[in-house]
Amino acid sequence: MEPVRNNVRDLEVIVDQEKIQHLLKKYLANNTMYVKGGDPPAPVVIAGFNDLNILSVDMGQLTPGKDEELTLFRILGRYMHVQGVVIGPTGQGNLYTMQLKTAAIARMERSSQRFLIRQDEACLTNFRASKHSIDATLFNIPTSVKVNFSTVEQTLKAQHDFVKIDVFSGRGSLLDEVRKTGRSALLTDTREIESYRAPGEGYLDYHDALDDALRKTMEEYRRGKIISEIIVPVIYITHDLQSIPLGYIRVQSRSKHYTTDDVLQLREMAFQLVDRIRDSNTVFIQERQELINLSRGGLKCIINHPELREYLERQNGFTFDLLFKLQAPITLYGTIRGAYKMRESGDLILAVQISGSSSRGGEIKRFEEYVAKLEARHKEQLARQQSDGKTR
Protein backbone atom coordinates (compact mmCIF):
# COMPACT_ATOMS: atom_id res chain seq x y z
CA MET A 1 0.00 0.00 0.00
CA GLU A 2 1.19 3.51 -0.79
CA PRO A 3 0.53 6.15 1.88
CA VAL A 4 -1.49 9.14 0.67
CA ARG A 5 -1.75 10.60 4.17
CA ASN A 6 -0.67 8.98 7.40
CA ASN A 7 -0.53 9.70 11.11
CA VAL A 8 2.45 7.89 12.63
CA ARG A 9 1.69 5.85 15.75
CA ASP A 10 3.94 6.61 18.73
CA LEU A 11 5.42 3.20 19.68
CA GLU A 12 7.77 2.06 22.41
CA VAL A 13 10.07 -0.64 21.02
CA ILE A 14 10.70 -3.42 23.58
CA VAL A 15 14.21 -4.91 23.63
CA ASP A 16 14.44 -6.28 27.16
CA GLN A 17 14.07 -10.08 27.00
CA GLU A 18 12.13 -10.29 30.26
CA LYS A 19 9.64 -7.65 29.07
CA ILE A 20 9.17 -9.43 25.74
CA GLN A 21 8.41 -12.69 27.52
CA HIS A 22 5.95 -10.88 29.82
CA LEU A 23 4.19 -9.30 26.82
CA LEU A 24 3.87 -12.66 25.11
CA LYS A 25 2.70 -14.53 28.19
CA LYS A 26 0.21 -12.00 29.56
CA TYR A 27 -1.23 -10.30 26.47
CA LEU A 28 -0.50 -12.10 23.22
CA ALA A 29 -0.29 -15.88 23.62
CA ASN A 30 -3.52 -17.83 22.99
CA ASN A 31 -5.32 -14.66 21.90
CA THR A 32 -6.47 -13.68 18.44
CA MET A 33 -4.03 -11.36 16.67
CA TYR A 34 -4.07 -9.97 13.14
CA VAL A 35 -1.54 -9.92 10.31
CA LYS A 36 -0.81 -6.34 9.32
CA GLY A 37 -1.13 -5.39 5.66
CA GLY A 38 -4.20 -7.40 4.72
CA ASP A 39 -7.57 -5.84 4.05
CA PRO A 40 -9.12 -6.95 6.26
CA PRO A 41 -6.18 -8.23 8.37
CA ALA A 42 -6.19 -12.03 8.69
CA PRO A 43 -6.70 -13.45 12.20
CA VAL A 44 -3.99 -15.70 13.69
CA VAL A 45 -3.19 -17.11 17.17
CA ILE A 46 0.19 -17.41 18.92
CA ALA A 47 -0.18 -20.94 20.25
CA GLY A 48 3.14 -21.00 22.11
CA PHE A 49 6.67 -19.61 22.44
CA ASN A 50 10.05 -20.44 24.02
CA ASP A 51 12.84 -18.54 25.76
CA LEU A 52 14.52 -17.85 22.41
CA ASN A 53 11.41 -15.98 21.20
CA ILE A 54 10.51 -18.62 18.65
CA LEU A 55 6.75 -18.50 18.25
CA SER A 56 4.35 -21.24 17.30
CA VAL A 57 1.58 -19.53 15.33
CA ASP A 58 -1.74 -20.93 14.10
CA MET A 59 -1.99 -19.10 10.76
CA GLY A 60 -5.63 -19.99 10.16
CA GLN A 61 -6.30 -19.57 6.42
CA LEU A 62 -2.87 -18.12 5.65
CA THR A 63 0.00 -20.08 4.10
CA PRO A 64 3.05 -17.80 4.48
CA GLY A 65 6.30 -18.64 2.73
CA LYS A 66 9.64 -19.42 4.36
CA ASP A 67 11.57 -16.26 5.39
CA GLU A 68 8.47 -14.11 4.89
CA GLU A 69 8.36 -11.17 7.30
CA LEU A 70 5.11 -10.70 9.21
CA THR A 71 3.77 -8.20 11.73
CA LEU A 72 1.19 -9.60 14.15
CA PHE A 73 -0.82 -7.03 16.11
CA ARG A 74 -3.72 -6.70 18.50
CA ILE A 75 -5.36 -3.83 20.34
CA LEU A 76 -6.26 -4.26 23.98
CA GLY A 77 -6.38 -0.78 25.46
CA ARG A 78 -3.08 -0.08 23.69
CA TYR A 79 -1.88 -1.20 20.26
CA MET A 80 0.85 -3.86 20.45
CA HIS A 81 2.67 -5.90 17.85
CA VAL A 82 5.46 -8.40 17.22
CA GLN A 83 7.51 -8.57 14.03
CA GLY A 84 9.29 -11.67 12.87
CA VAL A 85 10.34 -14.04 10.09
CA VAL A 86 8.55 -17.29 9.20
CA ILE A 87 10.76 -20.33 9.71
CA GLY A 88 8.28 -22.79 8.22
CA PRO A 89 5.33 -25.12 8.89
CA THR A 90 5.48 -27.55 11.82
CA GLY A 91 3.46 -30.24 10.06
CA GLN A 92 0.72 -29.98 12.68
CA GLY A 93 -2.39 -28.45 11.14
CA ASN A 94 -1.68 -24.88 10.08
CA LEU A 95 0.93 -24.25 12.80
CA TYR A 96 4.05 -22.37 11.73
CA THR A 97 7.20 -21.44 13.62
CA MET A 98 8.28 -17.83 13.52
CA GLN A 99 11.41 -16.12 14.85
CA LEU A 100 10.43 -12.95 16.70
CA LYS A 101 12.68 -10.00 15.82
CA THR A 102 11.07 -7.00 17.54
CA ALA A 103 8.13 -6.18 19.77
CA ALA A 104 6.44 -2.82 20.38
CA ILE A 105 3.56 -1.27 22.27
CA ALA A 106 1.84 2.10 21.84
CA ARG A 107 2.77 4.72 24.45
CA MET A 108 -0.86 5.81 24.75
CA GLU A 109 -4.10 3.84 24.90
CA ARG A 110 -6.48 3.93 21.99
CA SER A 111 -9.56 5.92 22.94
CA SER A 112 -11.88 3.10 21.86
CA GLN A 113 -11.80 -0.53 20.74
CA ARG A 114 -12.05 -1.37 17.03
CA PHE A 115 -14.33 -4.13 15.82
CA LEU A 116 -14.10 -5.96 12.51
CA ILE A 117 -17.29 -5.67 10.45
CA ARG A 118 -18.63 -8.34 8.10
CA GLN A 119 -19.53 -7.17 4.58
CA ASP A 120 -23.17 -8.17 5.08
CA GLU A 121 -23.37 -6.32 8.42
CA ALA A 122 -22.79 -2.66 7.48
CA CYS A 123 -21.43 -0.36 4.76
CA LEU A 124 -20.93 3.29 3.84
CA THR A 125 -23.06 5.04 1.22
CA ASN A 126 -24.50 8.43 0.14
CA PHE A 127 -21.17 10.23 0.10
CA ARG A 128 -21.16 14.03 -0.13
CA ALA A 129 -17.85 15.72 -0.90
CA SER A 130 -16.56 18.86 -2.64
CA LYS A 131 -15.88 18.79 -6.38
CA HIS A 132 -13.35 21.61 -6.17
CA SER A 133 -11.18 22.81 -3.33
CA ILE A 134 -12.08 26.32 -2.16
CA ASP A 135 -9.49 28.08 0.00
CA ALA A 136 -8.94 31.50 1.46
CA THR A 137 -6.36 32.55 -1.13
CA LEU A 138 -8.73 31.89 -4.04
CA PHE A 139 -6.10 32.08 -6.74
CA ASN A 140 -8.26 29.60 -8.66
CA ILE A 141 -11.91 30.48 -8.12
CA PRO A 142 -14.30 27.71 -9.23
CA THR A 143 -16.68 28.77 -11.97
CA SER A 144 -19.60 27.82 -9.73
CA VAL A 145 -18.60 30.60 -7.28
CA LYS A 146 -18.42 33.24 -10.03
CA VAL A 147 -21.76 32.20 -11.51
CA ASN A 148 -23.58 32.28 -8.17
CA PHE A 149 -22.04 35.65 -7.24
CA SER A 150 -23.19 37.12 -10.54
CA THR A 151 -26.72 35.69 -10.27
CA VAL A 152 -27.35 37.09 -6.78
CA GLU A 153 -25.77 40.42 -7.73
CA GLN A 154 -28.25 40.85 -10.60
CA THR A 155 -31.13 40.08 -8.23
CA LEU A 156 -30.04 42.75 -5.73
CA LYS A 157 -29.45 45.47 -8.33
CA ALA A 158 -33.17 46.10 -8.57
CA GLN A 159 -33.29 46.94 -4.85
CA HIS A 160 -30.17 49.12 -4.37
CA ASP A 161 -28.39 51.96 -6.15
CA PHE A 162 -25.06 50.15 -6.04
CA VAL A 163 -24.35 46.43 -5.55
CA LYS A 164 -21.04 44.58 -5.56
CA ILE A 165 -20.57 40.87 -4.75
CA ASP A 166 -17.00 39.68 -5.07
CA VAL A 167 -14.23 37.66 -3.42
CA PHE A 168 -11.97 39.37 -0.91
CA SER A 169 -8.79 40.86 -2.33
CA GLY A 170 -6.20 43.33 -1.11
CA ARG A 171 -4.97 43.82 2.39
CA GLY A 172 -5.27 46.74 4.78
CA SER A 173 -8.60 47.95 3.40
CA LEU A 174 -12.04 48.27 4.98
CA LEU A 175 -13.06 45.07 3.18
CA ASP A 176 -10.03 43.34 4.65
CA GLU A 177 -11.28 44.22 8.14
CA VAL A 178 -14.60 42.56 7.27
CA ARG A 179 -12.68 39.49 6.08
CA LYS A 180 -10.51 39.25 9.20
CA THR A 181 -13.27 39.88 11.75
CA GLY A 182 -16.18 38.16 9.98
CA ARG A 183 -18.34 41.11 11.07
CA SER A 184 -20.93 43.01 9.04
CA ALA A 185 -20.55 46.76 8.51
CA LEU A 186 -23.51 49.19 8.72
CA LEU A 187 -23.13 52.88 7.92
CA THR A 188 -26.59 54.40 8.40
CA ASP A 189 -25.64 57.99 7.42
CA THR A 190 -22.32 58.70 5.73
CA ARG A 191 -22.66 62.42 6.62
CA GLU A 192 -22.84 61.88 10.39
CA ILE A 193 -19.61 61.11 12.26
CA GLU A 194 -21.44 59.08 14.92
CA SER A 195 -22.77 56.70 12.26
CA TYR A 196 -19.22 55.45 11.79
CA ARG A 197 -19.34 53.80 15.22
CA ALA A 198 -20.45 50.14 15.48
CA PRO A 199 -24.26 50.04 15.96
CA GLY A 200 -24.04 46.93 18.14
CA GLU A 201 -22.41 43.60 18.94
CA GLY A 202 -21.05 41.76 15.92
CA TYR A 203 -20.66 44.89 13.76
CA LEU A 204 -17.48 46.41 12.39
CA ASP A 205 -16.57 49.84 13.75
CA TYR A 206 -15.94 52.08 10.73
CA HIS A 207 -14.35 54.75 12.91
CA ASP A 208 -11.60 52.45 14.21
CA ALA A 209 -11.15 50.57 10.94
CA LEU A 210 -10.69 53.71 8.82
CA ASP A 211 -8.63 55.55 11.44
CA ASP A 212 -6.73 58.38 9.66
CA ALA A 213 -8.63 57.75 6.42
CA LEU A 214 -12.00 58.57 8.00
CA ARG A 215 -12.31 62.17 6.71
CA LYS A 216 -11.09 61.18 3.25
CA THR A 217 -13.66 58.36 3.10
CA MET A 218 -16.49 60.69 4.18
CA GLU A 219 -15.54 63.03 1.34
CA GLU A 220 -15.57 60.15 -1.17
CA TYR A 221 -19.08 59.19 -0.07
CA ARG A 222 -20.16 62.85 -0.43
CA ARG A 223 -18.80 63.14 -3.97
CA GLY A 224 -20.47 59.88 -4.91
CA LYS A 225 -23.74 61.02 -3.30
CA ILE A 226 -23.78 57.83 -1.18
CA ILE A 227 -25.69 58.34 2.08
CA SER A 228 -25.80 54.77 3.45
CA GLU A 229 -23.89 51.48 3.11
CA ILE A 230 -23.89 47.82 4.23
CA ILE A 231 -21.11 45.23 3.86
CA VAL A 232 -21.88 41.61 4.76
CA PRO A 233 -19.25 38.82 4.62
CA VAL A 234 -19.96 35.63 2.69
CA ILE A 235 -18.51 32.84 4.83
CA TYR A 236 -18.27 29.45 3.13
CA ILE A 237 -18.44 26.25 5.21
CA THR A 238 -16.65 23.42 3.45
CA HIS A 239 -17.33 19.67 3.68
CA ASP A 240 -14.23 19.67 5.89
CA LEU A 241 -16.22 21.91 8.29
CA GLN A 242 -13.78 24.78 7.72
CA SER A 243 -15.04 28.37 7.73
CA ILE A 244 -13.61 30.33 4.80
CA PRO A 245 -14.18 34.09 4.37
CA LEU A 246 -15.04 33.72 0.71
CA GLY A 247 -16.26 37.18 -0.28
CA TYR A 248 -18.68 39.97 0.51
CA ILE A 249 -21.96 41.62 -0.42
CA ARG A 250 -21.72 45.42 -0.53
CA VAL A 251 -24.73 47.67 -1.14
CA GLN A 252 -24.97 51.45 -1.17
CA SER A 253 -27.90 53.87 -1.37
CA ARG A 254 -28.29 57.48 -2.49
CA SER A 255 -31.74 57.88 -0.95
CA LYS A 256 -32.41 55.29 1.76
CA HIS A 257 -30.90 55.09 5.23
CA TYR A 258 -30.15 51.43 5.93
CA THR A 259 -31.01 49.84 9.29
CA THR A 260 -30.14 46.64 11.11
CA ASP A 261 -33.22 45.04 9.50
CA ASP A 262 -31.60 45.56 6.09
CA VAL A 263 -28.41 43.94 7.41
CA LEU A 264 -30.37 40.87 8.56
CA GLN A 265 -31.91 40.53 5.09
CA LEU A 266 -28.48 40.64 3.45
CA ARG A 267 -27.07 38.15 5.93
CA GLU A 268 -29.87 35.76 5.00
CA MET A 269 -29.01 36.37 1.34
CA ALA A 270 -25.37 35.51 2.13
CA PHE A 271 -26.45 32.23 3.80
CA GLN A 272 -28.54 31.33 0.75
CA LEU A 273 -25.62 32.19 -1.52
CA VAL A 274 -23.32 29.86 0.42
CA ASP A 275 -25.91 27.08 0.17
CA ARG A 276 -26.12 27.56 -3.59
CA ILE A 277 -22.33 27.49 -3.96
CA ARG A 278 -22.07 24.36 -1.80
CA ASP A 279 -24.83 22.60 -3.76
CA SER A 280 -23.15 23.37 -7.09
CA ASN A 281 -19.77 22.32 -5.68
CA THR A 282 -20.98 19.07 -4.10
CA VAL A 283 -20.72 15.61 -5.57
CA PHE A 284 -23.24 13.05 -4.31
CA ILE A 285 -22.34 9.39 -4.82
CA GLN A 286 -24.73 6.65 -3.67
CA GLU A 287 -22.48 3.65 -4.29
CA ARG A 288 -21.96 1.36 -1.28
CA GLN A 289 -18.39 1.09 -0.04
CA GLU A 290 -16.94 -1.55 2.27
CA LEU A 291 -16.57 -0.93 6.00
CA ILE A 292 -13.56 -2.77 7.48
CA ASN A 293 -13.78 -1.91 11.15
CA LEU A 294 -15.56 0.40 13.54
CA SER A 295 -15.08 2.05 16.93
CA ARG A 296 -16.75 4.74 19.01
CA GLY A 297 -14.36 7.29 17.58
CA GLY A 298 -14.03 6.27 13.96
CA LEU A 299 -13.83 3.64 11.25
CA LYS A 300 -11.74 2.17 8.47
CA CYS A 301 -13.17 1.72 4.98
CA ILE A 302 -12.27 0.82 1.39
CA ILE A 303 -13.12 3.29 -1.39
CA ASN A 304 -13.12 1.58 -4.80
CA HIS A 305 -15.46 3.94 -6.70
CA PRO A 306 -13.11 5.78 -9.15
CA GLU A 307 -14.82 9.20 -9.01
CA LEU A 308 -15.28 9.17 -5.23
CA ARG A 309 -11.69 7.98 -4.76
CA GLU A 310 -10.45 10.95 -6.80
CA TYR A 311 -12.40 13.48 -4.70
CA LEU A 312 -11.53 12.02 -1.30
CA GLU A 313 -7.80 11.79 -2.04
CA ARG A 314 -7.52 15.58 -1.86
CA GLN A 315 -9.93 16.34 0.98
CA ASN A 316 -9.72 16.36 4.76
CA GLY A 317 -13.24 15.07 5.38
CA PHE A 318 -16.63 14.18 3.96
CA THR A 319 -20.24 13.48 4.87
CA PHE A 320 -21.68 9.98 4.46
CA ASP A 321 -24.39 7.58 5.60
CA LEU A 322 -23.46 4.61 7.78
CA LEU A 323 -25.89 1.87 6.85
CA PHE A 324 -26.38 -1.03 9.25
CA LYS A 325 -28.36 -4.09 8.19
CA LEU A 326 -32.14 -3.64 8.62
CA GLN A 327 -31.69 -0.14 10.11
CA ALA A 328 -32.24 3.43 8.91
CA PRO A 329 -29.01 5.11 7.74
CA ILE A 330 -27.03 7.29 10.16
CA THR A 331 -25.65 10.48 8.58
CA LEU A 332 -22.17 11.34 9.91
CA TYR A 333 -19.24 13.61 9.13
CA GLY A 334 -15.78 12.06 9.06
CA THR A 335 -12.32 13.61 9.20
CA ILE A 336 -9.70 11.65 7.23
CA ARG A 337 -6.81 10.76 9.57
CA GLY A 338 -4.94 8.39 7.28
CA ALA A 339 -5.15 7.33 3.62
CA TYR A 340 -3.44 4.51 1.71
CA LYS A 341 -3.76 3.47 -1.92
CA MET A 342 -3.52 -0.21 -2.86
CA ARG A 343 -0.82 -0.67 -5.51
CA GLU A 344 -2.63 -3.22 -7.67
CA SER A 345 -6.28 -2.15 -7.48
CA GLY A 346 -5.83 1.54 -6.76
CA ASP A 347 -8.47 1.25 -4.01
CA LEU A 348 -8.23 3.88 -1.28
CA ILE A 349 -8.06 2.73 2.35
CA LEU A 350 -9.26 5.48 4.70
CA ALA A 351 -8.90 5.81 8.47
CA VAL A 352 -11.74 8.14 9.46
CA GLN A 353 -12.49 9.95 12.71
CA ILE A 354 -16.18 10.58 13.43
CA SER A 355 -16.30 14.36 13.89
CA GLY A 356 -20.00 15.20 13.65
CA SER A 357 -23.47 14.18 12.50
CA SER A 358 -26.42 15.57 10.59
CA SER A 359 -28.84 18.10 12.00
CA ARG A 360 -31.31 15.30 12.72
CA GLY A 361 -31.42 14.61 16.44
CA GLY A 362 -30.18 11.30 17.82
CA GLU A 363 -27.78 10.35 15.02
CA ILE A 364 -24.70 10.10 17.24
CA LYS A 365 -26.74 8.37 19.93
CA ARG A 366 -27.87 5.68 17.46
CA PHE A 367 -24.27 5.26 16.32
CA GLU A 368 -23.02 4.84 19.89
CA GLU A 369 -25.82 2.38 20.71
CA TYR A 370 -24.76 0.16 17.82
CA VAL A 371 -21.08 0.29 18.85
CA ALA A 372 -22.16 -0.63 22.38
CA LYS A 373 -23.75 -3.79 20.95
CA LEU A 374 -20.46 -4.61 19.22
CA GLU A 375 -18.60 -4.12 22.51
CA ALA A 376 -21.00 -6.46 24.32
CA ARG A 377 -20.58 -9.07 21.59
CA HIS A 378 -16.80 -8.73 21.78
CA LYS A 379 -16.79 -9.24 25.57
CA GLU A 380 -18.87 -12.40 25.15
CA GLN A 381 -16.39 -13.74 22.58
CA LEU A 382 -13.43 -12.99 24.88
CA ALA A 383 -15.18 -14.73 27.76
CA ARG A 384 -15.77 -17.82 25.61
CA GLN A 385 -12.14 -17.85 24.45
CA GLN A 386 -10.87 -17.61 28.00
CA SER A 387 -13.25 -20.36 29.09
CA ASP A 388 -12.13 -22.60 26.23
CA GLY A 389 -8.48 -21.93 27.12
CA LYS A 390 -9.00 -23.01 30.72
CA THR A 391 -10.77 -26.23 29.72
CA ARG A 392 -7.85 -27.11 27.42
Side-chain angles (χ1 to χ4, degrees):
M1 290 189 290
E2 300 174 352
V4 178
R5 274 169 283 168
N6 185 27
N7 288 343
V8 178
R9 192 188 304 274
D10 186 15
L11 296 176
E12 176 189 355
V13 178
I14 301 174
V15 294
D16 183 84
Q17 175 66 9
E18 187 175 335
K19 289 183 178 179
I20 290 175
Q21 290 285 308
H22 176 74
L23 180 70
L24 289 169
K25 182 177 180 179
K26 184 164 184 176
Y27 298 107
L28 303 184
N30 298 313
N31 283 305
T32 300
M33 299 187 69
Y34 299 94
V35 179
K36 198 166 189 177
D39 290 294
V44 297
V45 175
I46 296 178
F49 60 94
N50 63 19
D51 293 342
L52 300 176
N53 295 335
I54 295 178
L55 312 180
S56 176
V57 183
D58 184 343
M59 292 292 179
Q61 301 298 316
L62 291 183
T63 53
K66 186 177 183 299
D67 296 329
E68 183 176 348
E69 295 186 2
L70 297 178
T71 299
L72 314 182
F73 72 92
R74 88 178 286 223
I75 300 168
L76 186 63
R78 284 192 285 175
Y79 169 92
M80 53 193 75
H81 77 218
V82 292
Q83 294 175 318
V85 176
V86 175
I87 298 173
T90 64
Q92 301 178 7
N94 207 30
L95 284 177
Y96 284 70
T97 52
M98 178 175 166
Q99 177 64 63
L100 186 148
K101 297 295 185 181
T102 62
I105 185 168
R107 296 183 188 276
M108 297 179 63
E109 288 192 7
R110 183 184 295 278
S111 59
S112 52
Q113 180 70 46
R114 287 184 183 178
F115 304 100
L116 293 176
I117 303 297
R118 301 189 307 269
Q119 289 191 35
D120 63 345
E121 192 174 4
C123 68
L124 274 61
T125 187
N126 295 336
F127 295 85
R128 288 164 289 278
S130 297
K131 294 178 183 177
H132 307 285
S133 179
I134 296 179
D135 59 45
T137 57
L138 294 170
F139 294 120
N140 295 304
I141 305 168
T143 302
S144 59
V145 173
K146 298 178 183 178
V147 170
N148 282 290
F149 273 17
S150 178
T151 300
V152 175
E153 185 175 282
Q154 292 303 315
T155 300
L156 288 176
K157 279 185 175 179
Q159 306 168 30
H160 305 274
D161 294 316
F162 175 83
V163 179
K164 181 67 173 178
I165 302 180
D166 205 350
V167 296
F168 287 112
S169 61
R171 295 293 182 263
S173 64
L174 181 65
L175 290 173
D176 192 40
E177 288 299 313
V178 173
R179 178 191 66 83
K180 289 190 294 185
T181 63
R183 295 179 177 181
S184 301
L186 170 61
L187 185 52
T188 301
D189 192 334
T190 62
R191 298 162 297 186
E192 297 292 334
I193 193 74
E194 283 304 311
S195 286
Y196 288 79
R197 294 293 185 183
E201 191 76 23
Y203 283 88
L204 183 72
D205 192 302
Y206 272 82
H207 195 283
D208 290 345
L210 292 171
D211 197 18
D212 294 339
L214 177 59
R215 292 294 178 182
K216 179 183 177 182
T217 303
M218 290 181 72
E219 178 60 24
E220 290 174 352
Y221 286 134
R222 188 191 66 77
R223 288 200 303 266
K225 298 180 180 180
I226 302 300
I227 67 169
S228 198
E229 177 180 73
I230 296 174
I231 306 173
V232 171
V234 178
I235 300 176
Y236 184 78
I237 308 297
T238 70
H239 285 280
D240 301 342
L241 299 185
Q242 297 177 352
S243 297
I244 296 176
L246 182 59
Y248 62 90
I249 301 175
R250 186 175 198 171
V251 299
Q252 295 176 332
S253 175
R254 291 173 174 168
S255 58
K256 176 182 177 180
H257 292 283
Y258 293 128
T259 68
T260 53
D261 287 340
D262 297 305
V263 176
L264 291 177
Q265 290 179 10
L266 284 180
R267 283 176 177 171
E268 180 61 30
M269 182 69 75
F271 293 147
Q272 294 175 9
L273 177 55
V274 168
D275 286 341
R276 292 175 63 167
I277 293 172
R278 187 183 299 108
D279 288 344
S280 60
N281 192 44
T282 296
V283 61
F284 179 64
I285 295 178
Q286 294 178 282
E287 294 291 329
R288 296 188 176 191
Q289 302 292 284
E290 183 180 345
L291 178 63
I292 300 174
N293 62 42
L294 189 66
S295 73
R296 287 184 179 272
L299 56 87
K300 193 174 183 181
C301 63
I302 301 177
I303 306 297
N304 58 30
H305 188 278
E307 186 181 4
L308 180 60
R309 191 169 59 207
E310 179 185 349
Y311 290 130
L312 295 186
E313 277 183 10
R314 57 176 185 258
Q315 295 184 32
N316 294 323
F318 57 98
T319 304
F320 62 96
D321 283 353
L322 185 57
L323 185 60
F324 295 113
K325 187 176 182 180
L326 302 177
Q327 293 191 35
I330 301 173
T331 302
L332 299 167
Y333 174 79
T335 301
I336 299 174
R337 294 303 185 191
Y340 300 86
K341 181 176 282 189
M342 303 296 290
R343 289 191 181 91
E344 294 183 3
S345 65
D347 292 349
L348 194 64
I349 312 297
L350 297 181
V352 180
Q353 176 185 332
I354 304 301
S355 304
S357 63
S358 73
S359 58
R360 296 194 301 271
E363 297 284 89
I364 287 292
K365 182 180 179 182
R366 288 179 53 219
F367 171 74
E368 291 177 344
E369 287 174 349
Y370 188 85
V371 177
K373 292 179 181 178
L374 293 178
E375 290 174 343
R377 190 172 72 187
H378 179 69
K379 288 179 180 178
E380 291 177 1
Q381 291 174 345
L382 284 178
R384 283 198 299 269
Q385 289 176 2
Q386 292 174 354
S387 177
D388 292 344
K390 289 179 180 179
T391 56
R392 288 199 299 267

